Amino acid sequence: MQRCLELARGGLGKTAPNPMVGAVVVHNGTILGEGYHREYGGPHAEVHAIAAVRERWKLSESTLYVNLEPCVHQGKTPPCTDLILKEKISSVIIGTADPFDEVAGKGIAKLRSRGCHVEVGVLKEECRDLNRRFFTFHEKKRPYIILKWAQTADGFIDVNRMPGAINRPTWITSEKLRMLVHKWRTQESAIMVGTQTAVKDNPQLNVRDWHGRNPVRIVLDQDLALPAHLNLLDNSQETIVINEITEKTKGKTQYWRFRFDDLLLDQLMGRLYQENLQSILVEGGQHMLQSFIGKNLWDEARIFTGRQFFGEGVPAPRIKKPSDLMTTHVGKEVFHCFKNPDLRKAVSRSTDAPSL
């Protein structure tokens, strides 16, 4: 099962809204075939693992290990349970059941009803943690929410900007860590900033410093007052503008209409769920980050602390820090990764360690 998890991580950032899945076929203690779900719409892990077995006659005497329940429905690919039964695999060991309504125990039940030996729950917590985006999405009916910011050693995320100042970001971390953040962006479905960040920093919110797909950009613009020249409005990638005025689509830019009241974030997360966006990286600014924290609407927080001192400026968001999931030094910066203890059980290992 540990090998299944190792294989499955190869799909990070490529399979959403599907889960990351690895599969291993074992015969008398020897691995005959293995595989993982490589990209959304492509063959599932079980298909790759079974196809890798050269001596087909051994399949009926083999055990299939997979970190998530095999699918039982026709989606973009045929049901994996049917393939397992066709190949007469005698035993299936599953890390955890699938929370998706179309599966949700049906695959396990079908295999058992046809005489296949099935065990469930091997490395269950590790399997859930690997696919925490997927489980949160289906169990809580909203995206997995990651808060991210960089702060100075004295606790500021920005200097005080003077009126009319040039709109560009204030860098606190190193260029290597900016590359890491771009890598993270490839792993999430969407990325979100507030109005002030859009104006002050004029961010692109793409992955120009890494390889992979760009996330869907989301920006708040209540009265549609953002200047048209901003990078977020350049139609270069899928973008959602949250506002109170209009609901329309213009090129790659969608305008979603919401009331800017206390229910805004909850309703927005519901709409993102309906649009099948599985995870969201919230990058700022301070007011937006604190709004998510205030509503306890977050699953993970990733915080860089640099060695600079601003003396004064925009205070970093304040978060009730649970026990560290991970704290490490990256060059001159310190990186903290927290899980929200009110929403999920933290495990001792993270798949998001800050390495390039």
Side-chain angles (χ1 to χ4, degrees), residues 2-13:
Q2 188 62 54
R3 179 57 179 160
C4 289
L5 294 172
E6 292 171 356
L7 291 165
R9 291 187 184 102
L12 181 60

Side-chain angles (χ1 to χ4, degrees), residues 129-246:
D129 184 63
L130 174 71
N131 278 309
R132 54 193 180 275
R133 298 165 180 83
F134 182 75
F135 278 90
T136 296
F137 185 76
H138 288 287
E139 292 175 352
K140 300 184 184 300
K141 310 302 181 186
R142 63 160 174 80
Y144 185 85
I145 301 168
I146 302 170
L147 309 181
K148 171 262 165 186
W149 71 85
Q151 62 187 42
T152 61
D154 54 349
F156 296 100
I157 63 172
D158 197 2
V159 297
N160 291 321
R161 307 286 186 102
M162 298 299 292
I166 298 175
N167 53 351
R168 60 187 179 193
T170 302
W171 295 114
I172 295 173
T173 56
S174 67
E175 201 162 312
K176 183 177 181 180
L177 290 187
R178 291 199 292 273
M179 189 181 298
L180 171 63
V181 171
H182 283 216
K183 177 184 177 182
W184 284 347
R185 290 176 180 178
T186 70
Q187 299 169 359
E188 311 309 333
S189 303
I191 183 169
M192 183 176 180
V193 295
T195 307
Q196 291 304 309
T197 298
V199 172
K200 291 179 178 180
D201 294 351
N202 192 19
Q204 299 179 57
L205 301 187
N206 58 22
V207 296
R208 60 196 179 278
D209 289 338
W210 198 255
H211 53 87
R213 63 183 182 184
N214 287 315
V216 175
R217 304 183 298 196
I218 304 172
V219 60
L220 298 186
D221 185 12
Q222 182 174 4
D223 300 317
L224 295 181
L226 287 178
H229 70 269
L230 292 182
N231 291 321
L232 291 177
L233 302 179
D234 63 6
N235 256 320
S236 64
Q237 69 194 68
E238 299 295 327
T239 303
I240 300 169
V241 180
I242 309 302
N243 70 97
E244 276 195 335
I245 297 173
T246 187

Side-chain angles (χ1 to χ4, degrees), residues 299-316:
D299 299 284
E300 188 174 328
R302 301 177 185 177
I303 306 167
F304 293 108
T305 302
R307 299 183 67 181
Q308 299 183 54
F309 288 83
F310 283 177
E312 61 180 15
V314 180

Side-chain angles (χ1 to χ4, degrees), residues 330-347:
V330 187
K332 297 181 179 180
E333 289 93 5
V334 178
F335 172 73
H336 299 278
C337 182
F338 304 107
K339 295 289 181 66
N340 189 330
D342 297 331
L343 298 179
R344 58 177 57 249
K345 178 183 177 182
V347 296

Side-chain angles (χ1 to χ4, degrees), residues 4-170:
C4 289
L5 294 172
E6 292 171 356
L7 291 165
R9 291 187 184 102
L12 181 60
K14 303 169 187 174
T15 64
N18 284 352
M20 293 176 281
V21 182
V24 178
V25 178
V26 178
H27 181 266
N28 291 336
T30 300
I31 293 178
L32 300 183
E34 59 183 30
Y36 69 97
H37 186 33
R38 299 171 185 172
E39 60 182 355
Y40 176 66
H44 289 185
E46 299 92 325
V47 176
H48 285 300
I50 291 170
V53 177
R54 294 183 179 180
E55 299 173 281
R56 310 297 293 178
W57 63 270
K58 290 185 177 180
L59 282 170
S60 62
E61 301 174 358
S62 297
T63 297
L64 173 69
Y65 290 81
V66 61
N67 59 288
L68 191 71
E69 176 183 2
C71 63
V72 72
H73 66 294
Q74 175 70 49
K76 289 185 175 292
T77 59
C80 290
T81 49
D82 289 355
L83 176 63
I84 294 168
L85 293 170
K86 176 185 175 183
E87 299 293 347
K88 297 182 171 57
I89 294 174
S90 58
S91 180
V92 179
I93 310 300
I94 299 169
T96 182
D98 190 327
F100 180 42
D101 290 341
E102 294 290 335
V103 187
K106 301 181 183 71
I108 295 169
K110 183 173 183 177
L111 291 172
R112 284 174 172 164
S113 71
R114 299 285 291 274
C116 182
H117 172 74
V118 179
E119 292 184 30
V120 184
V122 177
L123 297 184
K124 178 181 177 180
E125 289 304 319
E126 289 86 344
C127 292
R128 283 184 61 90
D129 184 63
L130 174 71
N131 278 309
R132 54 193 180 275
R133 298 165 180 83
F134 182 75
F135 278 90
T136 296
F137 185 76
H138 288 287
E139 292 175 352
K140 300 184 184 300
K141 310 302 181 186
R142 63 160 174 80
Y144 185 85
I145 301 168
I146 302 170
L147 309 181
K148 171 262 165 186
W149 71 85
Q151 62 187 42
T152 61
D154 54 349
F156 296 100
I157 63 172
D158 197 2
V159 297
N160 291 321
R161 307 286 186 102
M162 298 299 292
I166 298 175
N167 53 351
R168 60 187 179 193
T170 302

